Amino acid sequence: SLLLETVIDKDNGYRTTAAPPQALNRLAALGLLVNAIHELAQPGKDLLEQSDQLGIYLHKQQRADGSLTVEGKTGIDESDVASVGWALQAVARSHRQMPAAWKLDLLRKARHHYAQMWSAGKSINIAATHTPAYAEAYVLTKEPAFAETVFAMNDWLFGLQHRENFDPARKHWIGGFPRYRQGKEVPGAPDIGSSLAAQSLADACRVAKVAGDLPRLQRYERALVLNTYFLMSLQYSPSNTSHFAEKYLPRLVGGFHASHQDGNLRVDYTQHALSAMVQYLENVLD
Protein backbone atom coordinates (compact mmCIF):
# COMPACT_ATOMS: atom_id res chain seq x y z
CA SER A 1 0.00 0.00 0.00
CA LEU A 2 2.81 2.40 0.85
CA LEU A 3 4.61 1.64 -2.40
CA LEU A 4 1.47 2.64 -4.29
CA GLU A 5 2.00 6.12 -2.84
CA THR A 6 5.48 6.42 -4.36
CA VAL A 7 6.52 7.79 -7.74
CA ILE A 8 9.48 7.25 -10.08
CA ASP A 9 11.72 10.12 -11.09
CA LYS A 10 12.52 8.87 -14.61
CA ASP A 11 15.30 11.40 -15.17
CA ASN A 12 17.26 10.32 -12.08
CA GLY A 13 16.10 6.72 -11.75
CA TYR A 14 14.95 6.90 -8.15
CA ARG A 15 11.66 6.30 -6.37
CA THR A 16 10.29 8.55 -3.66
CA THR A 17 7.04 9.29 -1.89
CA ALA A 18 4.45 11.38 -3.73
CA ALA A 19 3.87 13.39 -0.55
CA PRO A 20 5.72 16.72 -0.51
CA PRO A 21 8.78 16.95 1.78
CA GLN A 22 6.94 19.51 3.91
CA ALA A 23 4.39 16.80 4.82
CA LEU A 24 6.82 14.21 6.15
CA ASN A 25 10.48 13.42 6.70
CA ARG A 26 11.44 11.54 3.55
CA LEU A 27 14.60 10.03 5.00
CA ALA A 28 12.64 8.41 7.82
CA ALA A 29 9.62 7.48 5.70
CA LEU A 30 11.57 5.86 2.87
CA GLY A 31 14.11 4.33 5.24
CA LEU A 32 11.34 2.64 7.23
CA LEU A 33 9.68 1.41 4.04
CA VAL A 34 12.92 -0.18 2.79
CA ASN A 35 13.45 -1.75 6.22
CA ALA A 36 9.93 -3.19 6.09
CA ILE A 37 10.62 -4.76 2.69
CA HIS A 38 13.80 -6.40 3.96
CA GLU A 39 12.03 -7.63 7.08
CA LEU A 40 10.02 -9.99 4.85
CA ALA A 41 11.25 -13.58 4.83
CA GLN A 42 11.31 -13.75 1.03
CA PRO A 43 10.70 -10.39 -0.64
CA GLY A 44 10.00 -10.84 -4.34
CA LYS A 45 12.23 -9.53 -7.09
CA ASP A 46 9.79 -6.68 -7.79
CA LEU A 47 9.89 -5.54 -4.16
CA LEU A 48 13.68 -5.69 -4.07
CA GLU A 49 13.91 -3.62 -7.24
CA GLN A 50 11.57 -0.99 -5.83
CA SER A 51 13.54 -1.06 -2.58
CA ASP A 52 16.72 -0.27 -4.50
CA GLN A 53 14.96 2.58 -6.33
CA LEU A 54 14.10 4.05 -2.92
CA GLY A 55 17.72 3.50 -1.90
CA ILE A 56 18.95 5.51 -4.87
CA TYR A 57 16.90 8.46 -3.59
CA LEU A 58 18.59 8.11 -0.19
CA HIS A 59 21.98 7.93 -1.92
CA LYS A 60 21.34 11.18 -3.77
CA GLN A 61 20.73 12.96 -0.47
CA GLN A 62 24.30 12.42 0.71
CA ARG A 63 26.59 15.45 0.69
CA ALA A 64 30.34 15.44 0.21
CA ASP A 65 30.93 15.52 3.99
CA GLY A 66 28.90 12.30 4.47
CA SER A 67 25.78 13.93 5.89
CA LEU A 68 22.33 13.33 4.41
CA THR A 69 20.01 16.16 3.40
CA VAL A 70 16.62 16.31 5.08
CA GLU A 71 14.65 17.59 2.11
CA GLY A 72 12.44 20.56 2.82
CA LYS A 73 14.45 21.80 5.82
CA THR A 74 17.18 24.39 6.03
CA GLY A 75 18.39 23.54 9.53
CA ILE A 76 18.86 20.22 11.31
CA ASP A 77 17.96 19.09 14.83
CA GLU A 78 18.19 15.92 16.92
CA SER A 79 15.10 14.34 15.36
CA ASP A 80 16.52 14.94 11.88
CA VAL A 81 19.79 13.21 12.76
CA ALA A 82 17.80 10.33 14.25
CA SER A 83 15.81 10.07 11.01
CA VAL A 84 19.08 9.71 9.10
CA GLY A 85 19.61 6.54 11.12
CA TRP A 86 16.51 4.95 9.59
CA ALA A 87 17.86 5.74 6.13
CA LEU A 88 21.27 4.26 6.99
CA GLN A 89 19.63 1.12 8.38
CA ALA A 90 17.76 0.76 5.10
CA VAL A 91 20.94 1.04 3.04
CA ALA A 92 22.79 -1.43 5.27
CA ARG A 93 20.01 -4.01 5.24
CA SER A 94 19.46 -3.73 1.51
CA HIS A 95 23.15 -4.41 0.88
CA ARG A 96 22.76 -7.92 2.31
CA GLN A 97 20.32 -8.96 -0.45
CA MET A 98 21.20 -6.42 -3.14
CA PRO A 99 24.95 -5.72 -2.75
CA ALA A 100 26.34 -2.52 -4.28
CA ALA A 101 29.63 -0.70 -3.69
CA TRP A 102 27.87 2.67 -3.30
CA LYS A 103 25.94 1.38 -0.29
CA LEU A 104 29.03 0.59 1.76
CA ASP A 105 30.65 3.83 0.60
CA LEU A 106 27.59 5.78 1.78
CA LEU A 107 27.68 4.04 5.17
CA ARG A 108 31.39 4.69 5.67
CA LYS A 109 31.09 8.40 4.91
CA ALA A 110 27.94 8.78 7.01
CA ARG A 111 29.45 6.98 10.00
CA HIS A 112 32.48 9.26 9.96
CA HIS A 113 30.31 12.38 9.88
CA TYR A 114 27.62 11.39 12.38
CA ALA A 115 30.00 9.77 14.88
CA GLN A 116 31.67 13.17 15.25
CA MET A 117 28.30 14.92 15.49
CA TRP A 118 27.08 12.46 18.15
CA SER A 119 30.25 12.92 20.21
CA ALA A 120 29.55 16.64 20.32
CA GLY A 121 25.92 16.19 21.43
CA LYS A 122 25.09 12.72 22.74
CA SER A 123 21.53 11.51 22.29
CA ILE A 124 19.66 8.29 23.07
CA ASN A 125 17.44 8.74 20.02
CA ILE A 126 20.41 9.10 17.69
CA ALA A 127 22.20 6.09 19.21
CA ALA A 128 19.02 4.01 18.87
CA THR A 129 18.63 4.62 15.13
CA HIS A 130 22.30 4.75 14.09
CA THR A 131 23.55 1.72 16.05
CA PRO A 132 21.55 -0.83 13.99
CA ALA A 133 22.97 0.60 10.75
CA TYR A 134 26.58 0.48 11.89
CA ALA A 135 26.04 -2.94 13.50
CA GLU A 136 24.76 -4.37 10.22
CA ALA A 137 27.64 -2.73 8.35
CA TYR A 138 30.16 -4.23 10.78
CA VAL A 139 28.69 -7.73 10.44
CA LEU A 140 28.90 -7.40 6.65
CA THR A 141 32.39 -5.89 6.42
CA LYS A 142 34.17 -6.53 9.76
CA GLU A 143 35.60 -3.00 9.46
CA PRO A 144 36.73 -1.86 12.95
CA ALA A 145 35.43 1.71 12.54
CA PHE A 146 31.82 0.53 12.53
CA ALA A 147 32.34 -1.49 15.72
CA GLU A 148 34.14 1.40 17.40
CA THR A 149 31.18 3.71 16.84
CA VAL A 150 28.70 1.10 18.06
CA PHE A 151 30.73 0.54 21.20
CA ALA A 152 31.19 4.28 21.85
CA MET A 153 27.44 4.90 21.64
CA ASN A 154 26.43 1.89 23.70
CA ASP A 155 29.10 2.16 26.39
CA TRP A 156 27.64 5.62 26.99
CA LEU A 157 24.10 4.21 27.07
CA PHE A 158 25.15 1.49 29.50
CA GLY A 159 26.55 4.11 31.86
CA LEU A 160 23.21 5.95 31.94
CA GLN A 161 21.08 3.05 33.13
CA HIS A 162 19.51 3.03 36.59
CA ARG A 163 20.83 -0.19 38.14
CA GLU A 164 20.69 -2.07 41.46
CA ASN A 165 22.85 0.41 43.36
CA PHE A 166 20.41 3.20 42.55
CA ASP A 167 18.34 5.14 45.15
CA PRO A 168 16.36 2.51 47.20
CA ALA A 169 13.36 4.84 47.26
CA ARG A 170 13.15 4.59 43.49
CA LYS A 171 13.46 0.85 42.93
CA HIS A 172 10.81 1.04 40.22
CA TRP A 173 13.31 3.06 38.16
CA ILE A 174 15.80 0.16 38.00
CA GLY A 175 16.43 -0.94 34.44
CA GLY A 176 15.18 2.30 32.96
CA PHE A 177 17.19 5.02 31.27
CA PRO A 178 16.98 8.77 31.91
CA ARG A 179 15.30 10.91 29.31
CA TYR A 180 17.62 12.94 27.08
CA ARG A 181 16.85 15.91 24.89
CA GLN A 182 19.23 18.12 22.90
CA GLY A 183 22.26 16.50 24.51
CA LYS A 184 21.05 17.02 28.08
CA GLU A 185 19.45 14.76 30.66
CA VAL A 186 15.85 15.67 31.47
CA PRO A 187 15.04 15.38 35.22
CA GLY A 188 12.38 12.89 36.20
CA ALA A 189 11.44 9.23 36.13
CA PRO A 190 12.35 7.00 33.17
CA ASP A 191 9.57 6.20 30.72
CA ILE A 192 8.80 4.04 27.69
CA GLY A 193 11.58 5.85 25.84
CA SER A 194 13.94 3.49 27.67
CA SER A 195 13.00 0.91 25.05
CA LEU A 196 14.96 2.94 22.49
CA ALA A 197 18.15 2.41 24.48
CA ALA A 198 17.35 -1.29 24.75
CA GLN A 199 16.98 -1.62 20.97
CA SER A 200 20.40 -0.05 20.56
CA LEU A 201 22.03 -2.30 23.17
CA ALA A 202 20.54 -5.41 21.54
CA ASP A 203 22.29 -4.56 18.27
CA ALA A 204 25.46 -3.73 20.18
CA CYS A 205 25.33 -7.29 21.59
CA ARG A 206 25.35 -8.54 18.02
CA VAL A 207 28.54 -6.59 17.30
CA ALA A 208 30.19 -7.71 20.55
CA LYS A 209 29.45 -11.34 19.66
CA VAL A 210 30.97 -11.08 16.20
CA ALA A 211 33.96 -9.11 17.51
CA GLY A 212 34.53 -11.65 20.30
CA ASP A 213 34.28 -8.93 22.98
CA LEU A 214 32.94 -11.03 25.87
CA PRO A 215 33.15 -8.34 28.61
CA ARG A 216 31.05 -5.92 26.57
CA LEU A 217 28.62 -8.63 25.57
CA GLN A 218 28.05 -9.53 29.23
CA ARG A 219 27.58 -5.89 30.25
CA TYR A 220 25.10 -5.21 27.47
CA GLU A 221 23.20 -8.43 28.24
CA ARG A 222 22.82 -7.49 31.91
CA ALA A 223 21.53 -4.07 30.92
CA LEU A 224 18.99 -5.64 28.57
CA VAL A 225 17.67 -8.06 31.19
CA LEU A 226 17.17 -5.21 33.68
CA ASN A 227 15.49 -3.11 31.02
CA THR A 228 13.13 -5.92 30.07
CA TYR A 229 11.84 -6.06 33.65
CA PHE A 230 11.41 -2.30 33.64
CA LEU A 231 9.45 -2.37 30.39
CA MET A 232 7.24 -5.19 31.69
CA SER A 233 6.30 -2.92 34.59
CA LEU A 234 4.79 -0.55 32.00
CA GLN A 235 2.59 -3.22 30.42
CA TYR A 236 -1.11 -3.56 31.15
CA SER A 237 -1.88 -7.08 32.37
CA PRO A 238 -4.94 -8.79 33.94
CA SER A 239 -3.41 -8.24 37.39
CA ASN A 240 -3.09 -4.43 37.13
CA THR A 241 -6.28 -3.61 35.24
CA SER A 242 -8.91 -4.95 37.65
CA HIS A 243 -10.06 -1.39 38.42
CA PHE A 244 -11.12 -0.84 34.79
CA ALA A 245 -14.59 -1.69 33.51
CA GLU A 246 -14.48 -5.13 31.88
CA LYS A 247 -15.51 -3.81 28.48
CA TYR A 248 -12.27 -1.78 28.25
CA LEU A 249 -9.89 -4.66 29.03
CA PRO A 250 -9.49 -5.94 25.44
CA ARG A 251 -8.21 -2.47 24.50
CA LEU A 252 -5.75 -2.34 27.40
CA VAL A 253 -4.28 -5.73 28.28
CA GLY A 254 -0.97 -6.30 26.50
CA GLY A 255 -0.37 -2.65 25.66
CA PHE A 256 2.51 -0.59 27.05
CA HIS A 257 1.80 2.78 28.64
CA ALA A 258 4.04 5.81 28.84
CA SER A 259 5.37 5.67 32.42
CA HIS A 260 4.51 4.83 36.02
CA GLN A 261 2.76 8.20 36.20
CA ASP A 262 1.16 8.20 32.74
CA GLY A 263 -1.20 5.40 31.74
CA ASN A 264 -1.89 6.60 28.21
CA LEU A 265 -1.48 4.10 25.39
CA ARG A 266 0.03 4.80 21.97
CA VAL A 267 0.82 2.37 19.20
CA ASP A 268 4.48 3.43 19.08
CA TYR A 269 4.91 2.81 22.83
CA THR A 270 4.05 -0.85 22.31
CA GLN A 271 6.02 -0.99 19.06
CA HIS A 272 9.27 0.19 20.67
CA ALA A 273 8.90 -2.11 23.69
CA LEU A 274 8.19 -5.15 21.51
CA SER A 275 11.03 -4.25 19.13
CA ALA A 276 13.45 -4.13 22.06
CA MET A 277 12.32 -7.55 23.29
CA VAL A 278 12.38 -9.15 19.83
CA GLN A 279 15.87 -7.81 19.16
CA TYR A 280 16.96 -9.17 22.55
CA LEU A 281 15.67 -12.63 21.55
CA GLU A 282 17.30 -12.45 18.10
CA ASN A 283 20.67 -10.91 18.98
CA VAL A 284 21.33 -12.20 22.48
CA LEU A 285 19.53 -15.52 23.01
CA ASP A 286 19.87 -16.79 19.44
Side-chain angles (χ1 to χ4, degrees):
S1 296
L2 291 172
L3 282 169
L4 290 175
E5 298 178 11
T6 61
V7 293
I8 287 278
D9 185 312
K10 294 182 179 179
D11 293 332
N12 296 293
Y14 63 72
R15 181 180 294 273
T16 187
T17 175
Q22 294 78 15
L24 49 70
N25 184 311
R26 285 186 169 181
L27 291 184
L30 300 185
L32 285 164
L33 181 51
V34 172
N35 275 297
I37 291 171
H38 288 276
E39 192 68 27
L40 297 171
Q42 292 182 318
K45 182 180 178 182
D46 58 333
L47 284 180
L48 291 176
E49 288 176 352
Q50 291 176 83
S51 168
D52 251 22
Q53 290 168 349
L54 294 168
I56 293 171
Y57 169 84
L58 299 176
H59 185 206
K60 289 185 177 296
Q61 304 315 304
Q62 189 168 49
R63 303 184 184 98
D65 65 358
S67 64
L68 271 66
T69 302
V70 180
E71 195 174 353
K73 296 192 70 172
T74 54
I76 191 166
D77 56 26
E78 180 182 323
S79 65
D80 294 325
V81 179
S83 74
V84 170
W86 290 113
L88 298 180
Q89 287 182 50
V91 172
R93 294 190 70 182
S94 71
H95 182 74
R96 183 176 290 275
Q97 296 195 68
M98 303 281 282
W102 68 261
K103 296 178 181 179
L104 293 180
D105 186 55
L106 182 152
L107 290 166
R108 293 184 185 107
K109 291 178 179 177
R111 184 215 62 82
H112 179 75
H113 177 85
Y114 289 107
Q116 292 180 324
M117 179 177 285
W118 181 83
S119 295
K122 294 178 174 62
S123 159
I124 291 177
N125 287 341
I126 294 172
T129 60
H130 283 245
T131 288
Y134 306 143
E136 179 71 11
Y138 175 71
V139 171
L140 291 170
T141 67
K142 306 300 186 296
E143 294 178 14
F146 289 118
E148 289 167 6
T149 300
V150 169
F151 291 151
M153 289 181 170
N154 290 275
D155 286 352
W156 174 76
L157 285 177
F158 176 81
L160 295 178
Q161 189 179 38
H162 303 307
R163 287 189 284 276
E164 294 89 336
N165 58 353
F166 190 61
D167 184 351
R170 297 173 176 173
K171 288 185 178 180
H172 58 293
W173 289 22
I174 291 176
F177 291 81
R179 291 170 291 154
Y180 250 75
R181 189 174 296 114
Q182 301 300 325
K184 296 181 180 179
E185 183 174 336
V186 178
D191 59 16
I192 195 67
S194 293
S195 58
L196 295 173
Q199 291 177 68
S200 182
L201 285 164
D203 268 295
C205 282
R206 184 184 179 202
V207 174
K209 269 187 176 182
V210 174
D213 193 330
L214 183 60
R216 274 198 170 93
L217 177 60
Q218 292 175 332
R219 289 201 301 271
Y220 296 161
E221 284 184 359
R222 287 196 299 271
L224 283 167
V225 170
L226 282 179
N227 183 259
T228 298
Y229 284 114
F230 172 77
L231 293 178
M232 289 170 62
S233 73
L234 301 181
Q235 186 178 33
Y236 281 124
S237 66
S239 63
N240 63 18
T241 52
S242 58
H243 56 295
F244 286 98
E246 188 173 349
K247 66 178 181 180
Y248 292 117
L249 296 185
R251 301 182 182 183
L252 296 173
V253 173
F256 290 78
H257 51 89
S259 70
H260 293 123
Q261 292 77 37
D262 185 345
N264 285 315
L265 290 173
R266 274 182 18 185
V267 172
D268 58 332
Y269 293 165
T270 298
Q271 175 247 315
H272 287 303
L274 289 181
S275 292
M277 293 178 183
V278 168
Q279 287 175 249
Y280 171 71
L281 291 172
E282 289 182 344
N283 297 332
V284 180
L285 298 186
D286 185 14

